[in-house]
Amino acid sequence: RDKTIDRLRGFAMLWVILVHVLYWGGFFTNGYVNLLKSFCLFEMPLFFFITGASNSFSRISGYFDFVSKRFQRILIPYWVFALICALLSIGKFSIQGNLNFVLGIKVLLSWLVPVDRQITSVSYLTWALWFVPVYLCVVLIIPVLKRMRDSAGKIEFTFLLLGIFVVTCLLKMGWFQNVAFYSFWTYVGFFYRDIKIAAEQKRNRRYFLYLATAGMAVLCMTYLAGHTINMQSNKFPPNMLFFVFSIMMMALIIFVVPYLDRFIGWLETGKIFGKLFNLFSTRSMTIFLYQVLAFNLTIHLTNMLICGDGIITSIVKSAFCLATTIPVCAGIAVVFGKIEIIEIRHYKIKV
């Protein structure tokens, strides 16, 4: 295993929790603060980059075998999670007096089908599930991305992926923009070993800094031209401005990876942090799904214990919510994490 990839995965999952504290908690309402916190929204390009990086080390023996295994890795945990959420949703509809047999069946079916149309009135349950169908679609083309990475036309294929994304943006194709955008970052992840070598060489690392600076310059010019650079407004679906932002932030992350890797490695020597971080790294899918249950508890607890408004109070609320959500998510990973590694074996019948 490549420890840097594991550490990046754990870091990305912790960053997801931070982002959702900032957005789901509703602790900050100031316009400028909302703009600043939107610059934290680089977690999904990083996740898909890690997906490509980790798959760059694996051997794909057959297309259907690969897709089957990867689908199981996400669908089995999702269906267990979906069943829990469906029961919670049906329970709340019953308490509200809105439940009938037809609605109950609709709620159950909406959760079992992994698309972003789940029926619920429970807070947060569906807010991160746009990721699931997008990831499944990206999995379908990962073998193609890996083959192109090893081909003579790998550079031309990079521009083809970019062209597809630009077309989806121009035609405002919504959901297809997500698939095209995150397929590009998955493909970039297949160059992980080359990027890592470049990031470790001081004479080459500066180019990542130059790229990040160029991205910031584009964002500044866009802002001066009167366009919004709040990334939350540009992320769903990702547009060209969010693409520039993601280039900028990924270049910065690659620039600091050698330092980040050593820092996390040092923190991992601590027993408590080491065990906690290992859960976020190895059970990231479980935590990504079940974090919504944690937030239903921790956001309510934060608002109940800490009252008042103002920037200082908002910072305290965010810090408290983050500090409580992380261990709750770790506990959830301990309880449900083994579901993530269940694999249905295929047996060949000899005649």
Side-chain angles (χ1 to χ4, degrees), residues 157-183:
F157 186 71
T158 305
F159 287 103
L160 174 63
L161 287 175
L162 279 174
I164 292 172
F165 172 63
V166 170
V167 169
T168 61
C169 288
L170 292 175
L171 298 179
K172 296 182 178 181
M173 297 178 71
W175 182 81
F176 291 99
Q177 289 173 239
N178 276 310
V179 176
F181 178 80
Y182 293 113
S183 295

mmCIF file of all heavy atoms in Angstrom, residues 157-183:
data_model
loop_
_atom_site.group_PDB
_atom_site.id
_atom_site.type_symbol
_atom_site.label_atom_id
_atom_site.label_comp_id
_atom_site.label_asym_id
_atom_site.label_seq_id
_atom_site.Cartn_x
_atom_site.Cartn_y
_atom_site.Cartn_z
ATOM 1 N N PHE A 157 -5.920 12.072 -24.731
ATOM 2 C CA PHE A 157 -7.120 11.654 -24.015
ATOM 3 C C PHE A 157 -7.456 12.636 -22.898
ATOM 4 O O PHE A 157 -8.640 12.863 -22.601
ATOM 5 C CB PHE A 157 -6.920 10.244 -23.437
ATOM 6 C CG PHE A 157 -8.156 9.673 -22.815
ATOM 7 C CD1 PHE A 157 -9.236 9.279 -23.593
ATOM 8 C CD2 PHE A 157 -8.263 9.543 -21.430
ATOM 9 C CE1 PHE A 157 -10.385 8.750 -23.019
ATOM 10 C CE2 PHE A 157 -9.400 9.020 -20.847
ATOM 11 C CZ PHE A 157 -10.471 8.621 -21.640
ATOM 12 N N THR A 158 -6.439 13.229 -22.286
ATOM 13 C CA THR A 158 -6.661 14.253 -21.257
ATOM 14 C C THR A 158 -7.454 15.421 -21.828
ATOM 15 O O THR A 158 -8.427 15.888 -21.225
ATOM 16 C CB THR A 158 -5.327 14.771 -20.695
ATOM 17 O OG1 THR A 158 -4.557 13.678 -20.209
ATOM 18 C CG2 THR A 158 -5.559 15.773 -19.566
ATOM 19 N N PHE A 159 -7.051 15.868 -23.013
ATOM 20 C CA PHE A 159 -7.758 16.980 -23.655
ATOM 21 C C PHE A 159 -9.154 16.567 -24.109
ATOM 22 O O PHE A 159 -10.074 17.393 -24.125
ATOM 23 C CB PHE A 159 -6.936 17.516 -24.828
ATOM 24 C CG PHE A 159 -5.730 18.300 -24.406
ATOM 25 C CD1 PHE A 159 -4.457 17.741 -24.473
ATOM 26 C CD2 PHE A 159 -5.869 19.582 -23.902
ATOM 27 C CE1 PHE A 159 -3.347 18.462 -24.065
ATOM 28 C CE2 PHE A 159 -4.762 20.319 -23.484
ATOM 29 C CZ PHE A 159 -3.491 19.755 -23.567
ATOM 30 N N LEU A 160 -9.318 15.290 -24.462
ATOM 31 C CA LEU A 160 -10.653 14.805 -24.828
ATOM 32 C C LEU A 160 -11.589 14.882 -23.627
ATOM 33 O O LEU A 160 -12.733 15.344 -23.760
ATOM 34 C CB LEU A 160 -10.563 13.367 -25.336
ATOM 35 C CG LEU A 160 -11.909 12.684 -25.624
ATOM 36 C CD1 LEU A 160 -12.653 13.412 -26.738
ATOM 37 C CD2 LEU A 160 -11.700 11.220 -25.991
ATOM 38 N N LEU A 161 -11.111 14.457 -22.454
ATOM 39 C CA LEU A 161 -11.923 14.543 -21.239
ATOM 40 C C LEU A 161 -12.268 15.988 -20.910
ATOM 41 O O LEU A 161 -13.398 16.302 -20.536
ATOM 42 C CB LEU A 161 -11.185 13.901 -20.060
ATOM 43 C CG LEU A 161 -11.087 12.369 -20.059
ATOM 44 C CD1 LEU A 161 -10.235 11.906 -18.889
ATOM 45 C CD2 LEU A 161 -12.464 11.739 -19.993
ATOM 46 N N LEU A 162 -11.289 16.868 -21.081
ATOM 47 C CA LEU A 162 -11.543 18.298 -20.848
ATOM 48 C C LEU A 162 -12.582 18.823 -21.827
ATOM 49 O O LEU A 162 -13.477 19.597 -21.448
ATOM 50 C CB LEU A 162 -10.244 19.090 -20.990
ATOM 51 C CG LEU A 162 -9.304 19.097 -19.790
ATOM 52 C CD1 LEU A 162 -7.998 19.792 -20.143
ATOM 53 C CD2 LEU A 162 -9.962 19.785 -18.602
ATOM 54 N N GLY A 163 -12.469 18.410 -23.091
ATOM 55 C CA GLY A 163 -13.426 18.856 -24.103
ATOM 56 C C GLY A 163 -14.837 18.387 -23.789
ATOM 57 O O GLY A 163 -15.805 19.144 -23.951
ATOM 58 N N ILE A 164 -14.964 17.143 -23.318
ATOM 59 C CA ILE A 164 -16.285 16.620 -22.947
ATOM 60 C C ILE A 164 -16.874 17.439 -21.812
ATOM 61 O O ILE A 164 -18.067 17.784 -21.829
ATOM 62 C CB ILE A 164 -16.173 15.137 -22.563
ATOM 63 C CG1 ILE A 164 -15.818 14.297 -23.784
ATOM 64 C CG2 ILE A 164 -17.485 14.644 -21.939
ATOM 65 C CD1 ILE A 164 -15.507 12.848 -23.466
ATOM 66 N N PHE A 165 -16.041 17.781 -20.832
ATOM 67 C CA PHE A 165 -16.527 18.585 -19.709
ATOM 68 C C PHE A 165 -16.969 19.973 -20.175
ATOM 69 O O PHE A 165 -18.023 20.472 -19.762
ATOM 70 C CB PHE A 165 -15.446 18.715 -18.635
ATOM 71 C CG PHE A 165 -15.800 19.675 -17.537
ATOM 72 C CD1 PHE A 165 -16.891 19.436 -16.706
ATOM 73 C CD2 PHE A 165 -15.057 20.829 -17.336
ATOM 74 C CE1 PHE A 165 -17.234 20.319 -15.699
ATOM 75 C CE2 PHE A 165 -15.382 21.719 -16.329
ATOM 76 C CZ PHE A 165 -16.477 21.469 -15.515
ATOM 77 N N VAL A 166 -16.181 20.584 -21.045
ATOM 78 C CA VAL A 166 -16.536 21.921 -21.557
ATOM 79 C C VAL A 166 -17.870 21.869 -22.300
ATOM 80 O O VAL A 166 -18.731 22.742 -22.125
ATOM 81 C CB VAL A 166 -15.424 22.458 -22.479
ATOM 82 C CG1 VAL A 166 -15.887 23.729 -23.199
ATOM 83 C CG2 VAL A 166 -14.160 22.748 -21.677
ATOM 84 N N VAL A 167 -18.068 20.834 -23.114
ATOM 85 C CA VAL A 167 -19.326 20.701 -23.859
ATOM 86 C C VAL A 167 -20.509 20.557 -22.898
ATOM 87 O O VAL A 167 -21.562 21.184 -23.087
ATOM 88 C CB VAL A 167 -19.254 19.492 -24.820
ATOM 89 C CG1 VAL A 167 -20.643 19.182 -25.399
ATOM 90 C CG2 VAL A 167 -18.270 19.765 -25.940
ATOM 91 N N THR A 168 -20.354 19.724 -21.856
ATOM 92 C CA THR A 168 -21.448 19.554 -20.893
ATOM 93 C C THR A 168 -21.756 20.867 -20.185
ATOM 94 O O THR A 168 -22.908 21.135 -19.838
ATOM 95 C CB THR A 168 -21.115 18.469 -19.852
ATOM 96 O OG1 THR A 168 -19.943 18.840 -19.109
ATOM 97 C CG2 THR A 168 -20.904 17.131 -20.518
ATOM 98 N N CYS A 169 -20.721 21.689 -19.967
ATOM 99 C CA CYS A 169 -20.945 23.003 -19.346
ATOM 100 C C CYS A 169 -21.687 23.941 -20.284
ATOM 101 O O CYS A 169 -22.639 24.631 -19.887
ATOM 102 C CB CYS A 169 -19.608 23.634 -18.935
ATOM 103 S SG CYS A 169 -18.811 22.863 -17.517
ATOM 104 N N LEU A 170 -21.255 23.982 -21.538
ATOM 105 C CA LEU A 170 -21.879 24.870 -22.517
ATOM 106 C C LEU A 170 -23.345 24.502 -22.741
ATOM 107 O O LEU A 170 -24.194 25.383 -22.918
ATOM 108 C CB LEU A 170 -21.117 24.818 -23.841
ATOM 109 C CG LEU A 170 -19.696 25.411 -23.836
ATOM 110 C CD1 LEU A 170 -19.010 25.179 -25.173
ATOM 111 C CD2 LEU A 170 -19.741 26.903 -23.509
ATOM 112 N N LEU A 171 -23.636 23.212 -22.732
ATOM 113 C CA LEU A 171 -25.005 22.749 -22.946
ATOM 114 C C LEU A 171 -25.802 22.676 -21.645
ATOM 115 O O LEU A 171 -26.985 22.320 -21.678
ATOM 116 C CB LEU A 171 -24.990 21.370 -23.625
ATOM 117 C CG LEU A 171 -24.358 21.315 -25.021
ATOM 118 C CD1 LEU A 171 -24.383 19.892 -25.556
ATOM 119 C CD2 LEU A 171 -25.078 22.263 -25.985
ATOM 120 N N LYS A 172 -25.130 23.004 -20.526
ATOM 121 C CA LYS A 172 -25.757 22.984 -19.197
ATOM 122 C C LYS A 172 -26.460 21.643 -18.959
ATOM 123 O O LYS A 172 -27.665 21.572 -18.719
ATOM 124 C CB LYS A 172 -26.742 24.144 -19.054
ATOM 125 C CG LYS A 172 -26.060 25.517 -19.120
ATOM 126 C CD LYS A 172 -27.045 26.648 -18.922
ATOM 127 C CE LYS A 172 -26.313 27.991 -18.955
ATOM 128 N NZ LYS A 172 -27.239 29.132 -18.752
ATOM 129 N N MET A 173 -25.669 20.593 -18.994
ATOM 130 C CA MET A 173 -26.198 19.236 -18.932
ATOM 131 C C MET A 173 -26.311 18.699 -17.505
ATOM 132 O O MET A 173 -26.585 17.518 -17.303
ATOM 133 C CB MET A 173 -25.339 18.303 -19.792
ATOM 134 C CG MET A 173 -25.344 18.664 -21.262
ATOM 135 S SD MET A 173 -24.296 17.600 -22.290
ATOM 136 C CE MET A 173 -25.219 16.079 -22.262
ATOM 137 N N GLY A 174 -26.065 19.564 -16.526
ATOM 138 C CA GLY A 174 -26.340 19.227 -15.137
ATOM 139 C C GLY A 174 -25.601 18.015 -14.629
ATOM 140 O O GLY A 174 -24.386 18.040 -14.417
ATOM 141 N N TRP A 175 -26.328 16.914 -14.436
ATOM 142 C CA TRP A 175 -25.768 15.709 -13.858
ATOM 143 C C TRP A 175 -24.587 15.182 -14.664
ATOM 144 O O TRP A 175 -23.610 14.681 -14.101
ATOM 145 C CB TRP A 175 -26.856 14.645 -13.752
ATOM 146 C CG TRP A 175 -26.406 13.380 -13.116
ATOM 147 C CD1 TRP A 175 -26.283 13.110 -11.789
ATOM 148 C CD2 TRP A 175 -26.014 12.180 -13.791
ATOM 149 N NE1 TRP A 175 -25.844 11.829 -11.592
ATOM 150 C CE2 TRP A 175 -25.672 11.234 -12.810
ATOM 151 C CE3 TRP A 175 -25.933 11.816 -15.139
ATOM 152 C CZ2 TRP A 175 -25.250 9.950 -13.124
ATOM 153 C CZ3 TRP A 175 -25.505 10.541 -15.448
ATOM 154 C CH2 TRP A 175 -25.170 9.624 -14.449
ATOM 155 N N PHE A 176 -24.629 15.320 -16.000
ATOM 156 C CA PHE A 176 -23.525 14.858 -16.838
ATOM 157 C C PHE A 176 -22.263 15.688 -16.598
ATOM 158 O O PHE A 176 -21.156 15.190 -16.795
ATOM 159 C CB PHE A 176 -23.926 14.912 -18.317
ATOM 160 C CG PHE A 176 -24.966 13.891 -18.678
ATOM 161 C CD1 PHE A 176 -26.305 14.242 -18.776
ATOM 162 C CD2 PHE A 176 -24.620 12.574 -18.901
ATOM 163 C CE1 PHE A 176 -27.270 13.308 -19.096
ATOM 164 C CE2 PHE A 176 -25.572 11.616 -19.232
ATOM 165 C CZ PHE A 176 -26.906 11.987 -19.323
ATOM 166 N N GLN A 177 -22.437 16.942 -16.191
ATOM 167 C CA GLN A 177 -21.278 17.753 -15.824
ATOM 168 C C GLN A 177 -20.546 17.137 -14.646
ATOM 169 O O GLN A 177 -19.307 17.127 -14.603
ATOM 170 C CB GLN A 177 -21.715 19.184 -15.472
ATOM 171 C CG GLN A 177 -22.169 20.000 -16.662
ATOM 172 C CD GLN A 177 -22.743 21.344 -16.248
ATOM 173 O OE1 GLN A 177 -23.900 21.651 -16.530
ATOM 174 N NE2 GLN A 177 -21.950 22.145 -15.562
ATOM 175 N N ASN A 178 -21.296 16.623 -13.677
ATOM 176 C CA ASN A 178 -20.678 15.957 -12.530
ATOM 177 C C ASN A 178 -19.833 14.777 -12.983
ATOM 178 O O ASN A 178 -18.674 14.635 -12.566
ATOM 179 C CB ASN A 178 -21.764 15.452 -11.565
ATOM 180 C CG ASN A 178 -22.236 16.517 -10.609
ATOM 181 O OD1 ASN A 178 -21.445 17.181 -9.956
ATOM 182 N ND2 ASN A 178 -23.543 16.676 -10.514
ATOM 183 N N VAL A 179 -20.399 13.918 -13.821
ATOM 184 C CA VAL A 179 -19.687 12.720 -14.263
ATOM 185 C C VAL A 179 -18.439 13.102 -15.063
ATOM 186 O O VAL A 179 -17.354 12.545 -14.855
ATOM 187 C CB VAL A 179 -20.612 11.814 -15.094
ATOM 188 C CG1 VAL A 179 -19.836 10.614 -15.640
ATOM 189 C CG2 VAL A 179 -21.793 11.341 -14.254
ATOM 190 N N ALA A 180 -18.568 14.059 -15.972
ATOM 191 C CA ALA A 180 -17.424 14.475 -16.789
ATOM 192 C C ALA A 180 -16.339 15.110 -15.930
ATOM 193 O O ALA A 180 -15.141 14.825 -16.106
ATOM 194 C CB ALA A 180 -17.899 15.464 -17.866
ATOM 195 N N PHE A 181 -16.742 15.957 -14.993
ATOM 196 C CA PHE A 181 -15.787 16.662 -14.137
ATOM 197 C C PHE A 181 -15.006 15.685 -13.257
ATOM 198 O O PHE A 181 -13.775 15.730 -13.197
ATOM 199 C CB PHE A 181 -16.552 17.668 -13.268
ATOM 200 C CG PHE A 181 -15.685 18.438 -12.306
ATOM 201 C CD1 PHE A 181 -14.939 19.519 -12.737
ATOM 202 C CD2 PHE A 181 -15.632 18.088 -10.967
ATOM 203 C CE1 PHE A 181 -14.151 20.245 -11.839
ATOM 204 C CE2 PHE A 181 -14.858 18.794 -10.070
ATOM 205 C CZ PHE A 181 -14.113 19.878 -10.511
ATOM 206 N N TYR A 182 -15.718 14.787 -12.597
ATOM 207 C CA TYR A 182 -15.044 13.884 -11.659
ATOM 208 C C TYR A 182 -14.342 12.737 -12.381
ATOM 209 O O TYR A 182 -13.400 12.151 -11.829
ATOM 210 C CB TYR A 182 -16.029 13.395 -10.604
ATOM 211 C CG TYR A 182 -16.463 14.535 -9.708
ATOM 212 C CD1 TYR A 182 -17.774 15.007 -9.716
ATOM 213 C CD2 TYR A 182 -15.547 15.171 -8.880
ATOM 214 C CE1 TYR A 182 -18.157 16.075 -8.916
ATOM 215 C CE2 TYR A 182 -15.915 16.236 -8.079
ATOM 216 C CZ TYR A 182 -17.225 16.679 -8.101
ATOM 217 O OH TYR A 182 -17.586 17.747 -7.311
ATOM 218 N N SER A 183 -14.746 12.431 -13.608
ATOM 219 C CA SER A 183 -13.977 11.480 -14.419
ATOM 220 C C SER A 183 -12.613 12.063 -14.761
ATOM 221 O O SER A 183 -11.599 11.342 -14.763
ATOM 222 C CB SER A 183 -14.727 11.146 -15.713
ATOM 223 O OG SER A 183 -15.925 10.464 -15.440
#
